[in-house]
Amino acid sequence: MSSPDSLRVAVIGSGPAGIYTADALTRQSRETVAVDVIDRLPTPYGLVRYGVAPDHTKIKGVARTLRQVLEHPDVRFIGGVRFGRDVTVDDLNRVYDAVVYATGASVDRKLGIPGEDLPGSVAATDFVNWYCGHPDTDVQRFLLDTEEIAVVGAGNVALDVVRVLAKSADELRHTDIPQPVLEVLAASKVQRIHLLARRGPLQAKFTAPELRDLGELANADITVRPEQIDIDPASEAMLSAARAARTNLKILTSWARQEPAGRPRQIDLRFWVRPIEILGRESVAGLRVERTELGADGRLTGTGEEEVLDVGMVFRSIGYMGVPLPDVPFDESTRTVPHADGRVLGPDGAALPGQYVAGWIKRGATGVIGTNKSDAAATVRGLLDDAPVLRERRGEGAEEPSIDRLLGERGVTFTDYGDWLTIDAAEAERAADLGRGERVKLHRWDELYGALGHS
């Protein structure tokens, strides 16, 4: 158990980066610590709960590891607390010896083309939040009443979106997807999904396991144009390609040789094509695209050859960006918090005492969930190196740890780990009532707090 002399650390964000930070802090033996993991949501796990597709049950298993960290006696989960509104940087600096920001990258990059703001042109993040049951998203946000949809992107999130759109409701029934969302998917009119990659198959960012998942769909055929993946094995592009890219190419080649089986939906996987205009007046009525190629300088260029896809929705999935945190330095060019070895840097380039950063808001939206573990450990090493200085700052007037009192004085009702277990049990009960798998998510704010007996 922590002692009055323990190093007091607040971690802002309870996703993988935040919880791995708490894990690194409690696993080390250099300092005794007391860690509060603070999140604006009443539930923990961040991206694992609200970013991993519902049918990726193996990846969701990471939550079991994260759960063990939150059950550590020196770690507390404090949910339902909005950083910058319920508590400020100054508040945290008074109460804690150190603060680690681990808030991730929560918004999509834009395509930057005409028509992008039309209804029906949406960020993949919004769709992911919807099918993952994020309480910020209205279940009526997506009605899927169009026959053709385009998904722009060549990463794993784009594949997740395509896969969820292509699956039947029966294929998703055993997952934790909220019941109202499942009902919308069951009524979906989508028949054809265009997956558009601006570069070639060797440049695509998706991983082989994600790609293979598309080939296992019982409800959709996949079309791959042979000429787009016909690459000379002796070419410089192939010889310099990473092993993962060559594996992807092998999978795509096998699909290009398959005849359609007549399944209800079709996935049209296309490379070397980019969107240049979203058409429509009141909503999306088409997507103008242009064929692309790599110039002599290696840059992507348009060929001038255009066509129009008859789509009623366009999802963009071309990368995530971080958003500024109130009163925390932010680099608009990288969309991250500026830092040196995890220490937050002020406008003058000097490290801000007691301020640290981890995860995507530190390094950008790169890597997989597990990447956050080593990233968090690196930040924690710097924090521990600074421990003597952090303790000196406490002597300059820092208060006894009392985030509870501060929140109570402001009338903020916060949740703890026990409350999360109550919500968890309510979701398991809902699944049992519906005859659906192990859990069905509560997807509205009033449902989440209602499970706790709050009105």
Side-chain angles (χ1 to χ4, degrees):
M1 296 290 291
S2 60
S3 69
D5 293 328
S6 296
L7 202 64
R8 305 188 301 261
V9 181
V11 177
I12 309 302
S14 69
I19 296 183
Y20 282 137
T21 298
D23 187 39
L25 283 165
T26 53
R27 281 183 179 273
Q28 53 78 37
S29 57
R30 294 169 58 181
E31 298 281 345
T32 58
V33 295
V35 186
D36 287 348
V37 179
I38 301 171
D39 202 292
R40 76 178 186 89
L41 295 172
T43 56
Y45 308 144
L47 186 68
V48 171
R49 179 172 168 88
Y50 292 119
V52 175
D55 58 342
H56 273 175
T57 53
K58 290 184 179 179
I59 299 177
K60 283 178 171 290
V62 172
R64 288 190 290 271
T65 300
L66 303 182
R67 177 174 182 155
Q68 294 174 0
V69 179
L70 293 183
E71 291 174 346
H72 191 285
D74 295 329
V75 177
R76 288 200 312 166
F77 171 67
I78 301 176
V81 175
R82 293 158 295 184
F83 174 72
R85 180 171 173 177
D86 297 329
V87 293
T88 66
V89 171
D90 288 342
D91 293 331
L92 297 178
N93 282 337
R94 288 196 305 270
V95 173
Y96 297 98
D97 300 311
V99 180
V100 182
Y101 305 107
T103 53
S106 57
V107 298
D108 283 67
R109 296 184 182 277
K110 289 210 165 190
L111 296 169
I113 61 175
E116 188 168 13
D117 295 328
L118 281 168
S121 168
V122 295
T125 301
D126 292 342
F127 189 62
V128 171
N129 285 343
W130 176 75
Y131 66 60
C132 285
H134 197 292
D136 284 345
T137 304
D138 185 347
V139 72
Q140 298 300 318
R141 176 71 172 83
F142 297 96
L143 298 179
L144 306 179
D145 55 358
T146 182
E147 293 184 356
E148 293 195 38
I149 289 178
V151 179
V152 182
N156 285 344
V157 174
L159 293 185
D160 285 345
V161 169
V162 170
R163 196 179 62 256
V164 170
L165 287 168
K167 281 193 169 185
S168 68
D170 284 342
E171 289 177 284
L172 293 167
R173 195 172 303 279
H174 69 285
T175 71
D176 64 4
I177 198 165
Q179 183 65 20
V181 173
L182 184 65
E183 291 169 1
V184 172
L185 290 168
S188 170
K189 296 180 180 178
V190 176
Q191 296 180 12
R192 189 176 187 185
I193 307 156
H194 304 270
L195 177 57
L196 310 178
R198 292 175 292 180
R199 296 176 181 267
L202 294 180
Q203 291 81 38
K205 300 297 184 182
F206 41 64
T207 59
E210 290 270 1
L211 191 60
R212 288 193 185 97
D213 282 348
L214 284 187
E216 297 175 359
L217 295 178
N219 199 51
D221 289 323
I222 302 176
T223 299
V224 177
R225 289 162 171 75
E227 69 274 12
Q228 294 184 348
I229 58 170
D230 185 14
I231 303 174
D232 183 354
S235 67
E236 181 180 348
M238 183 66 85
L239 293 175
S240 61
R243 182 177 179 180
R246 294 196 298 270
T247 300
N248 286 342
L249 186 62
K250 185 176 180 180
I251 296 169
L252 294 166
T253 300
S254 69
W255 291 350
R257 295 169 180 163
Q258 293 178 353
E259 292 294 329
R263 297 183 177 95
R265 291 178 177 144
Q266 179 181 342
I267 299 170
D268 184 18
L269 207 169
R270 299 184 60 178
F271 297 96
W272 301 114
V273 61
R274 68 181 179 187
I276 56 175
E277 182 182 9
I278 298 175
L279 306 175
R281 291 188 176 182
E282 296 182 356
S283 63
V284 173
L287 177 65
R288 190 184 305 279
V289 299
E290 179 185 28
R291 288 192 60 187
T292 59
E293 62 184 7
L294 292 180
D297 58 358
R299 294 185 178 182
L300 190 72
T301 62
T303 64
E305 182 180 341
E306 300 178 3
E307 67 177 295
V308 174
L309 303 180
D310 185 22
V311 300
M313 293 188 75
V314 176
F315 293 93
R316 65 178 182 272
S317 182
I318 57 172
Y320 289 99
M321 300 187 301
V323 296
L325 300 171
D327 299 320
V328 177
F330 191 73
D331 186 333
E332 290 287 351
S333 62
T334 63
R335 305 294 295 186
T336 61
V337 172
H339 71 94
D341 298 325
R343 299 175 177 90
V344 176
L345 300 178
D348 61 355
L352 298 178
Q355 306 287 296
Y356 302 86
V357 65
W360 278 4
I361 196 65
K362 169 188 175 183
R363 67 180 190 276
T366 61
V368 296
I369 290 175
T371 310
N372 292 293
K373 190 168 188 177
S374 57
D375 179 279
T379 291
V380 167
R381 282 195 294 273
L383 189 157
L384 295 174
D385 288 342
D386 297 342
V389 176
L390 298 177
R391 292 185 186 283
E392 287 179 9
R393 290 178 63 246
R394 181 189 299 184
E396 296 172 3
E399 300 174 358
E400 288 298 314
S402 188
I403 190 70
D404 307 66
R405 184 176 68 246
L406 185 150
L407 294 173
E409 291 172 350
R410 295 177 182 176
V412 178
T413 301
F414 59 93
T415 61
D416 59 20
Y417 185 72
D419 291 325
W420 156 239
L421 294 181
T422 299
I423 292 172
D424 185 53
E427 292 184 340
E429 182 178 354
R430 175 160 295 186
D433 291 342
L434 294 169
R436 285 186 49 201
E438 296 182 359
R439 67 161 59 238
V440 171
K441 281 182 182 170
L442 306 179
H443 70 286
R444 300 196 315 265
W445 287 101
D446 62 335
E447 287 186 320
L448 291 167
Y449 282 104
L452 304 176
H454 301 170
S455 57

